[in-house]
Structures are given as structure tokens and as C-alpha cells.
Amino acid sequence: MSFVKVQNIVKKYGRSTILNSVNFSLEQGEQCVIKGASGSGKSTLLYLLGGLEKSNGGSIVVNGVNIGALNDDELAKFRNTEVGFVFQFHFLLSSLNCLENTLLPARLGDHNIAEVKKYVMHLAKRLGVEDCLKKYPYEISGGQQQRINLIRALSLKPSLLLCDEPTGNLDSKNSKLATELLIELSTNSGVTLLVVTHDDYVSSVFTNVKHMADGVLQ
């Protein structure tokens, strides 16, 4: 059975059809890019997979769970335990230092904070931002902020990592580094990785590349 199974997904906003009968599947640990222009529907598909939005038809099963059948509380638990999100904009809270930002998902759920902190420290050392943890987001560079964002997404060891234009605000050097790190961390941890992008470099690094246009996955 596929780890992610999307069948005949339809998403509409008013009279506009954003996704039109989308089908695809991913195996556990698989790494995939969905490439498409802005407005093609790729980000909407990502939000549906992560339980941030609900479809108007079809089904999405992740790790044996039909997320369309979950209520709001069950969806919140699903997102907290199964899914890591990396967005183009890091959404780090300016009132918290970087360590507290990375621990926020753990504090929102029933998790061992000490164990999560130990893993966060390990990731921070690996990504070269260990000295940023005591700083506030506005005190570090954009590339460092995105790496802190990545650590936060990985802090609870999700089974599915969803990335929406993760290099959109990075220069070419940091874009290359972030992409390599995503693939390496996915490979080492067995996380199923799905990236949506319009970046030619990002898509060139992946062997599994799907294309989306006008709400249809081609």
C-alpha cells in the first residue's frame, strides 16, 4: 500500500476549479518534486495533503489515514504528529528566540520536550546554526532563518515533509544548500519528501519530477 495515495482530488474556490481530478501516490521515504508556474495549483495540493485545507471531492490517504474523514481536532493531531511543513516564508515568531521557535510544535502536542530539544540541537549542529539558537529571528540572516525553519519542521521526526517553495527567498548559494539538506535529511531519516517549486535548479536535483498546469498533474 502506498504511503501517500491521492485519488480524484478536486478543489474549488467559488466557481474556479483549482485542482481537477488529481491522482498520484508516493511510497514511504520517496522524494518527489511537483513543478509548475504560480497559480497552477501545486501549493493548494500541498495544503490538502497536510490537512490545512479540505477538498471538494476525492480522497487523500497518508500512512493509512483518510485525512478527509478527520474532524478538526483529529486533523490538528495528524499535522502535529505526521507532517512537517517548510514554507517559502519562515513564519518564525519574533517574540521567541530560535530555540523556542523550533520547540513550539513539541509544546503544542504531547511530546517529551527534553528529547525534542536534544534532536533539535543535533540538527542545528549539522546545519551549522547551533550558535543561532539563542538569537532572535531578526538577529540572523535569511539563510539561517530558513535552516531554523527546516529544523522546526523536522523537530518531531515527521513521516511526511511538505515543502512549499522552500528556496523562494534564498540566493543561489543558500538555495543549493537548502535543497541538498532536504534530500540528505530525508534520505537519512526515511521521511517522505514532497517539494513544490517553480525553481529549475531545485527540480533538476530530484529524479522524480511531476508537472502541474491548470490544476492537472501531468
Side-chain angles (χ1 to χ4, degrees):
M1 182 178 178
S2 299
F3 183 77
V4 174
K5 185 73 172 179
V6 176
Q7 291 183 297
N8 300 318
I9 281 294
V10 174
K11 179 63 179 179
K12 297 181 179 182
Y13 293 115
R15 296 182 179 180
S16 299
T17 299
I18 308 302
L19 296 174
N20 189 5
S21 192
V22 172
N23 295 273
F24 80 99
S25 62
L26 295 173
E27 301 304 318
Q28 187 168 10
E30 190 171 354
Q31 300 162 354
C32 177
V33 161
I34 296 179
K35 188 178 180 183
S38 296
S40 61
K42 60 188 188 301
S43 293
T44 299
L45 177 60
L46 207 70
Y47 300 155
L48 291 174
L49 282 166
L52 293 174
E53 296 191 22
K54 292 190 176 183
S55 68
N56 298 106
S59 67
I60 298 175
V61 177
V62 177
N63 200 13
V65 177
N66 182 351
I67 62 175
L70 302 180
N71 61 36
D72 289 344
D73 288 341
E74 291 167 335
L75 275 173
K77 183 177 180 180
F78 166 78
R79 289 191 295 265
N80 188 254
T81 58
E82 294 283 352
V83 184
F85 289 99
V86 179
F87 298 104
Q88 177 178 352
F89 301 100
H90 54 74
F91 297 118
L92 298 174
L93 299 180
S94 60
S95 60
L96 300 177
N97 67 28
C98 291
L99 177 59
E100 286 301 318
N101 266 285
T102 62
L103 295 177
L104 192 57
R107 297 194 188 283
L108 293 174
D110 185 20
H111 301 280
N112 185 317
I113 302 299
E115 286 297 319
V116 176
K117 183 178 179 180
K118 182 178 178 180
Y119 186 55
V120 162
M121 298 293 287
H122 164 74
L123 290 175
K125 185 175 182 179
R126 171 63 189 84
L127 301 186
V129 290
E130 194 174 16
D131 62 347
C132 295
L133 293 178
K134 293 183 179 180
K135 297 180 180 180
Y136 288 82
Y138 55 82
E139 297 179 307
I140 62 178
S141 71
Q144 290 170 326
Q145 289 172 349
Q146 190 65 314
R147 278 176 274 175
I148 294 296
N149 181 24
L150 178 56
I151 291 170
R152 180 177 59 184
L154 291 166
S155 63
L156 300 183
K157 300 180 180 180
S159 58
L160 177 63
L161 183 60
L162 303 173
C163 305
D164 186 14
E165 301 285 3
T167 63
N169 286 327
L170 302 180
D171 58 29
S172 57
K173 179 181 177 180
N174 281 311
S175 175
K176 183 175 183 292
L177 175 62
T179 304
E180 291 173 349
L181 288 171
L182 281 171
I183 293 175
E184 180 182 335
L185 291 169
S186 170
T187 300
N188 291 342
S189 61
V191 173
T192 303
L193 173 62
L194 181 62
V195 178
V196 301
T197 187
H198 64 267
D199 189 307
D200 290 336
Y201 171 74
V202 174
S203 60
S204 72
V205 177
F206 287 75
T207 56
N208 184 5
V209 180
K210 302 180 187 297
H211 296 269
M212 178 166 277
D214 299 324
V216 177
L217 198 61
Q218 303 171 343

